Amino acid sequence: MTVRIKDVALAAGVSVATVSRALGDGPVSDELRKKVEAAVAATGYLPNLSARRLRSQHSHTIGLIVSDIRNPFFTAVSRAVEDAAYAVGMRVILCNTDENPQKEAMYLRLMQEERVTGVIFAPTRATAQKLDPQQLGFPVVLIDRAAPPGHADAVVLDNAEAASLLVEHLLAQGYQRIGGLFGNTSTTGAERYAGVLAAMQRHGLQAEARFIAPTPEAAEQAMRAWLAEPAVPQALIASNGLVLLGMLRGARAAGIAIPQQLALAGFDNDNWTELAGPGLTVIEQPVYDIGRTAMKMLLERLEDPARSARKVVLSGRLVVRGSTSA
């Protein structure tokens, strides 16, 4: 039989209203709250969360919307967000958009329907440009990607600095013709390309770049096509870990030795990067700090909804391995 709130009240020896207040963080004594909680455990009662949300207008739930859950970067960020949310008594709803603006819009509507407390979001460039948290009805903190200044709080990597670290390392190793594959759906790929381009131009050099969907499949296909051309750069940079994986697959399919025939580097210090071939040179992002900081900023926004939007920029670390040996 379904256990009703009346059954809990009977077991606890209190009124239904007292049970409702105790379960909804209402004004009851600690003694009564413990008595109700014991009755809930004894009867196996499951509260109607949907009804409670309708009454309180507050769900104690955080929405986490990421672009590709296959990407270990977002897996690690998700863990940090969930850890921080759990510590303050909140739950997390995780959604995956596949870099699709239509799916992003669908999940933002879902967050409104679920009456979430706030959302942590990695949007496509198209969605970031028009994002308005005030119209959504809940605070938003962006991760990995940024909206136009003043639109929303954000936690991002210093992409220009990180890209410059990769370029300067490759130049120091003797590579002059440097190119890369960059994701075409987010501000992140564009910023990393701009960082590579600026670093190369400081040395009077040009960067060769191609823009693709940021997936292993697209990267492998683009890599195969590039390596089939007569003139190939001496070194290539991948704009994220999934792109780096696809590029490595493409190089292996073409029989290209890393680094003897081509140097390869990228972003994201995923576990597999130290095991692939001679080990891949990468930028390590502070992924846990990104997730934890995003949750902290969301809580601060809830405390002070009127404050100006902030952008927190974190630094990456260059991890040098055999794929970029001189």
Side-chain angles (χ1 to χ4, degrees):
M1 290 179 59
T2 301
V3 179
R4 301 168 299 173
I5 193 170
K6 290 181 180 179
D7 301 317
V8 177
L10 184 63
V14 299
S15 68
V16 169
T18 298
V19 174
S20 181
R21 287 197 300 273
L23 295 179
D25 294 328
V28 297
S29 68
D30 289 342
E31 181 182 356
L32 275 178
R33 193 181 306 281
K34 289 178 181 177
K35 185 180 290 188
V36 170
E37 289 172 350
V40 168
T43 60
Y45 174 67
L46 295 175
N48 187 330
L49 297 179
S50 296
R52 187 187 297 178
R53 282 197 293 270
L54 288 172
R55 290 193 299 270
S56 69
Q57 302 293 305
H58 199 283
S59 68
H60 296 285
T61 300
I62 298 300
L64 176 58
I65 306 176
V66 302
S67 60
D68 191 344
I69 196 60
R70 297 180 306 168
N71 189 335
F73 169 83
F74 287 117
T75 306
V77 169
S78 299
R79 175 57 191 263
V81 170
E82 197 279 332
D83 285 349
Y86 179 78
V88 295
M90 291 185 172
R91 301 167 301 166
V92 177
I93 298 175
L94 176 62
C95 302
N96 175 75
T97 67
D98 295 318
E99 302 278 6
N100 183 334
Q102 291 181 329
K103 289 185 73 173
E104 289 175 332
M106 178 188 71
Y107 284 130
L108 287 172
R109 286 194 300 272
L110 174 65
M111 296 301 128
Q112 291 174 317
E113 294 167 2
E114 291 292 327
R115 300 174 185 267
V116 296
T117 302
V119 167
I120 295 173
F121 186 20
T124 58
R125 185 161 35 183
T127 297
Q129 290 296 321
K130 59 185 180 183
L131 188 68
D132 186 351
Q134 289 187 341
Q135 288 187 352
L136 291 171
F138 48 72
V140 177
V141 177
L142 304 185
I143 51 172
D144 191 49
R145 294 98 186 267
H151 282 217
D153 294 320
V155 188
V156 298
L157 183 73
D158 189 336
N159 288 309
E161 176 195 57
S164 179
L165 286 173
L166 285 176
V167 170
E168 294 296 339
H169 166 69
L170 289 169
L171 292 173
Q173 295 295 93
Y175 299 102
Q176 294 287 303
R177 293 188 57 223
I178 300 172
L181 292 180
F182 299 90
N184 62 5
T185 57
S186 72
T187 57
T188 305
E191 289 174 2
R192 290 174 183 174
Y193 166 66
V196 169
L197 182 63
M200 292 288 283
Q201 289 178 341
R202 286 197 297 269
H203 292 270
L205 301 170
Q206 291 298 313
E208 302 178 48
R210 301 188 180 184
F211 298 88
I212 60 168
T215 67
E217 297 78 14
E220 181 177 356
Q221 183 178 2
M223 188 71 162
R224 285 171 178 256
W226 205 341
L227 295 176
E229 296 177 6
V232 178
Q234 298 169 315
L236 289 174
I237 293 171
S239 66
N240 72 21
L242 295 183
V243 172
L244 183 59
L245 177 61
M247 292 173 72
L248 181 62
R249 287 174 178 169
R252 284 184 172 177
I256 298 297
I258 307 293
Q260 291 86 352
Q261 294 173 276
L262 176 72
L264 193 58
F267 285 77
D268 299 331
N269 191 22
D270 301 335
N271 291 335
W272 65 269
T273 58
E274 66 176 325
L275 304 175
L280 302 180
T281 294
V282 292
I283 292 292
E284 180 179 72
Q285 299 196 63
V287 286
Y288 199 86
D289 286 344
I290 290 172
R292 184 175 56 184
T293 302
M295 189 64 199
K296 179 174 180 287
M297 292 177 73
L298 187 60
L299 295 174
E300 291 172 350
R301 173 62 63 186
L302 290 168
E303 290 291 327
D304 185 9
R307 69 172 174 80
S308 300
R310 287 192 303 143
K311 182 179 179 181
V312 174
V313 181
L314 303 178
S315 294
R317 181 175 72 93
L318 178 65
V319 179
V320 177
R321 299 191 179 110
S323 67
T324 54
S325 296

